[in-house]
């Protein structure tokens, strides 16, 4: 379909800057995008008839990665610290 | 003496946003809002089962007026449970290790129970300051002791949660540092330390759940006296 209406996964790599230009970056737009991303993740992996631990585990793994990124400045110098 | 061991308890900032904000908001993602469907997904079913168990356990000793506190006590319980358990994952930050947060939870809720009691049934609430059957000579001393014990309750609530979680995280960090350092030097001792670490992690999971339960249970007990 036309570029503004396509989802992120359907956009080709070369068209990415053009697609980003059509996106709505106001607070409501960002919040709406976040809400949409969360509901698509939730409906695909958690809100299923016979879900397993995978849906939540991916979420927790992502949370661990996020926390690692947040702490990176501190973890970076771990090897050279005199006192741990 | 090693000040750096306490570095895990400072909230790291990235671009000015402290991690504590994300750590406090993350449990909301793991607790889905119940829909109007009869049979929901497994996560929602588990959550409803847990909420029913917690609510039943907390509300049975309370009278009808105390049931108005069901929402705040159950949500507090879920909040603390989720935060404590999430803190055991690698690199995550546990907001309940901060005394400021625990005191902010304990003090207003304790004060609310106290003021409810003093406002609605003042003589009964004050009567709790003197246990039945005390010898007459001991009455002044006992009233002072009971008042002190009453006033120290919010401090005890907050500090108990903070101290338990902080001590647990610190122990895990110390023993894992020992394991990693010993691995090239004495592998057998390192394996022994790994066993201790595994047992400690199991203990920490239990402590995380128990501390959340104890916090809310004590609050409901203070409520029972006063409502």
């Amino acid at each position: 379909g036309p570029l503004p209406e396509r989802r992120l996964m359907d956009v080709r790599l070369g068209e990415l800057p053009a697609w980003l230009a059509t996106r709505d970056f106001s607070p409501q737009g960002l919040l709406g995008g976040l809400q949409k991303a969360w509901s698509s993740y939730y409906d695909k992996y958690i809100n299923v008839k016979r879900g397993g631990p995978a849906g939540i585990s991916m979420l927790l793994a992502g949370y661990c990665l996020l926390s690692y990124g947040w702490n990176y400045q501190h973890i970076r110098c771990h090897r050279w610290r005199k006192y741990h | 003496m090693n000040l750096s061991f306490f570095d895990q308890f400072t909230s790291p900032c990235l671009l000015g946003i402290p991690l504590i904000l994300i750590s406090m908001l993350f449990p909301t993602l793991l607790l889905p809002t119940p829909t109007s469907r009869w049979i929901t997904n497994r996560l929602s079913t588990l959550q409803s089962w847990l909420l029913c168990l917690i609510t039943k356990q907390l509300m049975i000793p309370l009278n009808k007026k105390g049931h108005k506190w069901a929402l705040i006590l159950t949500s507090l319980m879920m909040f603390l449970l989720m935060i404590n358990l999430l803190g055991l994952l690698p690199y995550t930050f546990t907001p309940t290790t901060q005394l400021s947060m625990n005191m902010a939870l304990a003090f207003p809720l304790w004060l609310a129970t106290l003021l409810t009691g003093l406002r609605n049934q003042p003589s009964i609430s004050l009567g709790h300051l003197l246990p039945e059957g005390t010898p007459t000579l001991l009455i002044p001393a006992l009233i002072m002791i009971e008042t002190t014990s009453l006033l120290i309750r919010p401090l005890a609530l907050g500090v108990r949660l903070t101290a338990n979680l902080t001590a647990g995280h610190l122990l895990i960090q110390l023993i894992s540092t020992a394991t990693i350092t010993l691995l090239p030097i004495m592998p057998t001792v390192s394996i022994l330390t790994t066993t201790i670490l595994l047992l400690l992690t199991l203990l920490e999971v239990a402590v995380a759940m128990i501390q959340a339960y104890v916090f809310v249970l004590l609050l409901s007990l203070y409520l029972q006296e006063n409502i």
Side-chain angles (χ1 to χ4, degrees), chain B residues 58-185:
Chain B
L58 287 174
M59 292 295 124
I60 283 177
L62 290 173
N63 60 6
K64 197 140 190 275
K65 282 206 293 178
H67 290 177
K68 279 194 260 184
W69 282 66
L71 182 61
I72 192 164
L73 287 178
T74 321
S75 44
L76 182 66
M77 172 82 173
M78 286 306 282
F79 183 58
L80 288 176
L81 196 63
M82 285 281 110
I83 283 189
N84 289 352
L85 286 173
L86 281 175
L88 290 169
L89 292 170
Y91 296 118
T92 47
F93 180 73
T94 325
T96 36
T97 51
Q98 311 297 310
L99 186 64
S100 51
M101 170 163 158
N102 295 339
M103 289 305 287
L105 285 173
F107 190 78
L109 290 169
W110 164 80
L111 197 62
T113 58
L114 184 67
L115 292 178
T116 317
L118 284 177
R119 191 167 173 258
N120 297 338
Q121 40 180 50
S123 22
I124 301 180
S125 295
L126 287 173
H128 279 298
L129 289 177
L130 187 66
E132 274 184 45
T134 47
T136 324
L137 285 174
L138 278 176
I139 289 181
L142 212 55
I143 292 197
M144 299 230 282
I145 292 174
E146 288 289 326
T147 315
T148 324
S149 125
L150 177 73
L151 293 175
I152 226 167
R153 276 177 184 176
L155 202 67
L157 269 179
V159 172
R160 179 187 301 113
L161 189 56
T162 316
N164 267 294
L165 277 140
T166 315
H169 283 232
L170 211 58
L171 268 174
I172 288 181
Q173 194 175 8
L174 280 166
I175 296 189
S176 46
T177 313
T179 318
I180 298 256
T181 324
L182 280 173
L183 197 58
I185 305 172

Side-chain angles (χ1 to χ4, degrees), chain A residues 4-46:
Chain A
E5 291 165 7
R6 273 194 258 165
R7 304 164 60 128
L8 179 59
M9 292 294 125
D10 301 328
V11 169
R12 291 200 201 94
L13 206 55
E15 297 169 348
L16 194 59
W19 180 81
L20 276 175
T22 64
R23 289 287 102 193
D24 176 19
F25 283 115
S26 65
Q28 296 98 312
L30 282 172
L31 232 61
L34 218 61
Q35 175 74 14
K36 199 152 169 281
W38 168 248
S39 15
S40 37
Y41 178 84
Y42 184 69
D43 290 328
K44 183 164 185 203
Y45 290 108
I46 303 179

